Amino acid sequence: MSAPERIPPRSVTPVELLTEGELTVRGRIREASNAALYCTVAHEGREATCVYKPVAGERPLWDFPDGTLAGREVAAYEVSEATGWGLVPPTVLRDGPYGEGMCQLWIDVTPEAELLALVDGEEPEPGWRAIGLAEVGEGRTALLVHADDERLRRLAVLDAVINNADRKGGHLLPTEDGRLFGIDHGVTFNAENKLRTLLWGWAGEPLTPEAVEVLGALSEGLKEGGALAVRLAELITAAEVDATRARVDALLASGRHPEPSGEWPAIPWPPV
């Protein structure tokens, strides 16, 4: 009698792992402004580390409805996936030890990557883009710059689409394999213009052909009944979906990276 055929273990996707896995809290990330728990998640022989942010641990904000930040984090992931750029780690909405919340794959960062810097002078060196002047103490100022990096440029486009009100330096996670992720997207998708970011280096410049193509695909997905519109409607309000659609169409119409509106502080504080 021949031996039975061995069936290799089924591959578990990160989203399935985060959604179906057993979530175990290992500690708390104390620097976070809302409750953020460091966890492991295990499913069908696979385990990973992740961040779990329960809705119950969200602090009220004057300009965002209570209990909506976790859904906005997932919505940012959905838009990122629709771009094909993969700029947001896998993120799901699920039940956990402290109730429903956002669960996101943990990203290990390479400390060698330099994306932000303070430099003397009024103009950035080649390979860098100016953000603005910053006070560095004792009456001195320095020029805050970010890398002229295509990964950051893509993230700047994503932030314009999702209306990110808090793109700080600490939310940029470069990895050893050359990828770049953005995290902390709880204050996004507001129907009013609230874009606050460190990534102003391309403000007013033409969008890349790649970005125009991606925005065109987003526009299709955001049409009434489109796959992305349907998915976002489960996570944010109808008015916010409409505003997202309008932002994409405005970017396509202008063909340029947005500039600070002057109606809202352009750079988050603290910037890192």
Side-chain angles (χ1 to χ4, degrees):
M1 180 182 294
S2 60
E5 181 181 357
R6 295 189 60 129
I7 301 175
R10 185 175 64 87
S11 176
V12 178
T13 68
V15 167
E16 184 179 6
L17 178 62
L18 292 171
T19 303
E20 303 294 337
E22 181 180 357
L23 195 61
T24 303
V25 176
R26 304 296 184 185
R28 181 170 183 176
I29 303 170
R30 298 194 176 278
E31 310 88 67
S33 55
N34 295 293
L37 304 175
Y38 180 76
C39 302
T40 56
V41 61
H43 182 60
E44 294 191 0
R46 185 178 174 189
E47 183 173 292
T49 53
C50 61
V51 176
Y52 162 53
K53 297 181 181 179
V55 171
E58 295 178 4
R59 294 181 181 179
L61 298 172
W62 68 270
D63 51 351
F64 286 85
D66 293 350
T68 66
L69 305 191
R72 296 172 193 279
E73 296 247 28
V74 180
Y77 168 70
E78 295 290 347
V79 174
S80 169
E81 288 299 285
T83 67
W85 287 334
L87 295 169
V88 178
T91 311
V92 304
L93 198 62
R94 61 160 292 169
D95 194 26
Y98 299 100
E100 186 179 59
M102 179 278 281
C103 190
Q104 184 175 80
L105 194 68
W106 181 268
I107 300 297
D108 290 318
V109 178
T110 176
E112 293 80 14
E114 191 173 16
L115 299 174
L116 298 168
L118 283 168
V119 298
D120 293 325
E122 298 181 355
E123 296 293 332
E125 296 291 328
W128 294 88
R129 293 274 179 158
I131 302 169
L133 292 174
E135 294 185 8
V136 293
E138 299 180 356
R140 293 180 56 247
T141 59
L143 185 65
L144 181 61
V145 297
H146 66 67
D148 190 1
D149 187 311
E150 189 59 37
R151 300 170 301 171
L152 289 179
R153 191 165 190 173
R154 290 172 173 175
L155 196 58
V157 174
L158 177 67
D159 282 345
V161 171
I162 67 176
N163 197 18
N164 192 350
D166 195 33
R167 174 61 72 205
K168 297 177 180 177
H171 301 165
L172 306 174
L173 306 184
T175 65
E176 286 189 1
D177 62 2
R179 296 191 65 182
L180 177 71
F181 292 96
I183 61 168
D184 284 349
H185 297 109
V187 286
T188 51
F189 295 100
N190 199 297
E192 298 180 10
N193 180 15
K194 291 185 178 290
L195 183 60
R196 291 197 306 173
T197 176
L198 288 177
L199 305 180
W200 288 116
W202 299 280
E205 293 191 10
L207 296 165
T208 64
E210 177 196 45
V212 171
E213 181 179 353
V214 164
L215 289 167
L218 290 182
S219 181
E220 286 296 314
L222 286 167
K223 288 181 177 178
E224 293 289 345
L228 183 57
V230 170
R231 178 62 179 130
L232 291 185
E234 300 171 353
L235 301 164
I236 57 178
T237 69
E240 289 165 343
V241 175
D242 289 341
T244 304
R245 185 182 299 117
R247 287 191 297 271
V248 170
D249 291 344
L251 287 167
L252 285 169
S254 72
R256 295 181 177 276
H257 286 270
E259 299 181 82
S261 67
E263 301 173 358
W264 181 258
I267 297 174
W269 190 262
V272 177

